[in-house]
Amino acid sequence: MNVIRFFLSLAVLLLASVFLIAPASAQATRTWVSGLGDDANPCSRTAPCKTFAGAISKTAAGGEINCIDSGAYGAVTITKSMTISCPEVEAGVLHSSTNGVIINAAATDVVVLRGLDINGAPPTSPGLNGVRFLAGAALHVEECFIHDSVGATPNGAGILFSPSGTAELYVNNSTIIRNNDGIRVQPTGAGIAKVMIDSSTIENNNLAGLKADGTSNTGGSNTTIVNSSASGNTNAGISIFNPVGGPAINIMVDSVAVANNGVAGGLRVDGANATIRIGRSTISGNGLGTAILNGGVISSYGNNQINGNTSDGPNPPTIPLK
């Protein structure tokens, strides 16, 4: 009898351990979504989920969500290190009246968004921001199409990068059009927002193409844009607004076309402790080539074309090449 009781007790312990570990095993390193999926599924390759929001809870930190086919995968909030990668299909994020993708993660978390079509769905209930970054270590936006986020201010950006501490944004090979601001860098904490934009198109936005905003007066920013276009925006192509002259805001412009923007200027700096440096770039066809206000600075490496604007504006002083 003692032997029987021993084996019965052992069986009960084994069953209990299976049930205890089941929830942890439900999170996979790689999960899948499909337009024909179901969020009740485990998000495996053979039983995919239907939305990013459905898949994210079943994806382990540091894991990846992939798309099997084209579909409307919905808005999502990301709170951990994660990659959403769908470059070979039409991965739609329709976000009427809300944000498309929110990143609100830990200070060490890195998020990658690749191959997404993030659509603000105007005109009746326009989306707030295509991508809104609140907290995390870094965000990588690669091969994404972000458009038509025209929610009322302070929203309405294709990408609103507003970290609460020091954080990094990398935008590569992406198209950002028909938003209010294309990319707005606006830290809300005391840290430094570090931004790198490469091989991207920021065009036909209702306000600025790229704007570094210092209205929070708590954190500074360093932005570099290379091999890109900031053109056809209704307000300014590339802009710094630092009305109270708070922490330093800098933008480096290298090999960028800044063309056909509005009267606010191809390059515009408004406020002290704010500097745009330009090299190997074309500033042409704008209502105003350069605009410098209230102590701002625009400096040139002397190898730019600043002409063909309605008014070219003040000629930036040349930075000695070393």
Side-chain angles (χ1 to χ4, degrees), residues 3 16 35 50 58 78 99 105 121 154 173-174 188 196-197 228 238 250 253 277-278 280 286 300 306 313 321-322:
V3 173
K50 189 174 181 61
K58 300 171 186 177
I78 300 173
N99 295 286
N173 197 29
S174 293
T188 60
M196 176 68 191
I197 303 163
S228 297
I238 297 175
N250 300 292
V253 180
R277 298 176 176 89
I278 54 169
R280 299 181 295 185
N286 304 284
S300 169
I306 306 177
L321 295 175
K322 296 180 180 180

Side-chain angles (χ1 to χ4, degrees), residues 87-241:
E88 303 301 326
V89 300
E90 189 79 11
V93 177
L94 196 65
H95 60 102
S96 177
S97 300
T98 188
N99 295 286
V101 181
I102 296 175
I103 294 91
N104 192 12
T108 56
D109 288 338
V110 177
V111 174
V112 179
L113 305 176
R114 182 182 301 119
L116 305 184
D117 180 347
I118 302 174
N119 183 353
T124 54
S125 301
L128 301 182
N129 302 285
V131 177
R132 184 173 186 186
F133 184 100
L134 298 172
L139 168 64
H140 296 256
V141 179
E142 304 170 359
E143 301 175 32
C144 288
F145 181 33
I146 305 173
H147 56 106
D148 295 300
S149 292
V150 291
T153 303
N155 300 298
I159 300 175
L160 175 55
F161 190 65
S162 53
S164 55
T166 295
E168 300 171 0
L169 169 66
Y170 300 91
V171 181
N172 183 262
N173 197 29
S174 293
T175 298
I176 302 169
I177 63 173
R178 297 195 305 265
N179 307 283
N180 282 344
D181 289 320
I183 298 175
R184 190 190 315 149
V185 181
Q186 188 176 18
T188 60
I192 302 297
K194 303 175 181 180
V195 179
M196 176 68 191
I197 303 163
D198 187 9
S199 303
S200 293
T201 299
I202 311 171
E203 296 178 346
N204 292 130
N205 295 285
N206 297 331
L207 297 175
L210 167 61
K211 181 178 183 180
D213 193 336
T215 55
S216 65
N217 194 32
T218 55
S221 63
N222 290 312
T223 299
T224 298
I225 178 169
V226 300
N227 304 318
S228 297
S229 171
S231 300
N233 302 287
T234 302
N235 197 326
I238 297 175
S239 170
I240 297 177
F241 182 55

